[in-house]
Amino acid sequence: KNEVEQSPQNLTAQEGEFITINCSYSVGISALHWLQQHPGGGIVSLFMLSSGKKKHGRLIATINIQEKHSSLHITASHPRDSAVYICAVLVAQKLVFGQGTRLTINP
Amino acid sequence: KAGVTQTPRYLIKTRGQQVTLSCSPISGHRSVSWYQQTPGQGLQFLFEYFSETQRNKGNFPGRFSGRQFSNSRSEMNVSTLELGDSALYLCASSLWLGAYEQYFGPGTRLTVT
């Protein structure tokens, strides 16, 4: 069993829909990252959080340390949000990654 | 401020050869981490360098090595290349040790034939 599990693996939605991507982990962590990877490979760090909730524009990330679970929400989704979203947890100063969620937003 | 740069962007090598990849961090960042991304295994941590010393290491064989220079630029080397080493190699820089906030480079896509 992977230490970091994401769901769903693939998600297709229509423009404007509310999107939720989930991440569960099985180990004690110092922090959790949400990353975005566009075709071509470039990775952008969206959030780093160790408790509570963070918001940046249309993106919201939450974490529940007790339940070992985090969610990434996208409000009013847009085709430019199409990308792979990766959850990564910081364990002993090393990042351990989930397998990613491929999100496709159709116009 | 310029972002993280990696060279070369694409590379084709033959089994048994060795390869060196380069990463220049954001100015002022002292930590450089390296990652391997493959379709089968996803993203995996290779190692982290800080102040010219390897501080953390992932579960990769000794064929994978790296170093960091006094200007924080880093190189990673893979010797005796295998087909399974074909991957996207990403580096990320951060101000301090421990991957708390990382900025990723565009990656080097290595193909081993």
Side-chain angles (χ1 to χ4, degrees):
Chain A
K1 189 179 187 299
N2 291 334
E3 291 174 300
V4 184
E5 297 277 356
Q6 285 186 238
S7 63
Q9 288 190 317
N10 294 283
L11 178 57
T12 300
Q14 290 300 120
E15 185 174 354
E17 286 189 36
F18 182 83
I19 303 298
T20 296
I21 299 170
N22 296 299
C23 175
S24 295
Y25 52 93
S26 58
V27 294
I29 67 170
S30 307
L32 182 144
H33 294 249
W34 281 103
L35 309 170
Q36 180 192 57
Q37 185 172 32
H38 280 284
I43 291 180
V44 174
S45 179
L46 298 174
F47 295 103
M48 183 189 68
L49 61 167
S50 54
S51 66
K53 178 178 174 177
K54 286 191 176 181
K55 184 175 189 292
H56 182 70
R58 295 180 295 106
L59 273 58
I60 303 165
T62 65
I63 187 169
N64 185 317
I65 297 292
Q66 286 73 31
E67 295 187 3
K68 293 186 165 62
H69 182 269
S70 176
S71 293
L72 176 68
H73 305 286
I74 304 175
T75 62
S77 59
H78 189 276
R80 65 174 174 266
D81 297 326
S82 297
V84 175
Y85 292 84
I86 302 168
C87 167
V89 298
L90 189 59
V91 181
Q93 296 190 329
K94 302 176 191 178
L95 280 179
V96 178
F97 299 87
Q99 287 294 94
T101 294
R102 185 175 300 277
L103 174 65
T104 303
I105 304 295
N106 293 319
Chain B
K1 200 181 259 192
V4 178
T5 58
Q6 291 186 245
T7 57
R9 293 292 310 279
Y10 302 91
L11 203 49
I12 300 174
K13 289 285 190 179
T14 304
R15 254 185 317 178
Q17 288 186 316
Q18 74 163 18
V19 67
T20 299
L21 311 181
S22 180
C23 173
S24 292
I26 290 172
S27 177
H29 285 196
R30 295 174 61 191
S31 169
V32 174
S33 297
W34 287 91
Y35 302 94
Q36 182 197 63
Q37 186 176 36
T38 60
Q41 298 296 319
L43 270 163
Q44 294 181 282
F45 170 76
L46 278 158
F47 28 65
E48 180 178 18
Y49 283 85
F50 179 82
S51 291
E52 302 176 64
T53 303
Q54 186 181 93
R55 303 298 180 130
N56 288 298
K57 190 176 189 305
N59 296 325
F60 279 82
R63 300 186 296 107
F64 291 81
S65 63
R67 58 178 176 168
Q68 186 180 35
F69 302 95
S70 58
N71 62 357
S72 295
R73 189 178 71 85
S74 177
E75 289 180 347
M76 68 162 281
N77 185 78
V78 188
S79 63
T80 319
L81 283 165
E82 301 176 1
L83 295 179
D85 297 333
S86 294
L88 181 67
Y89 290 89
L90 293 147
C91 79
S93 76
S94 57
L95 273 170
W96 204 250
L97 184 65
Y100 280 95
E101 187 159 10
Q102 295 202 311
Y103 296 82
F104 286 80
T108 294
R109 188 165 296 280
L110 171 66
T111 301
V112 181
T113 62

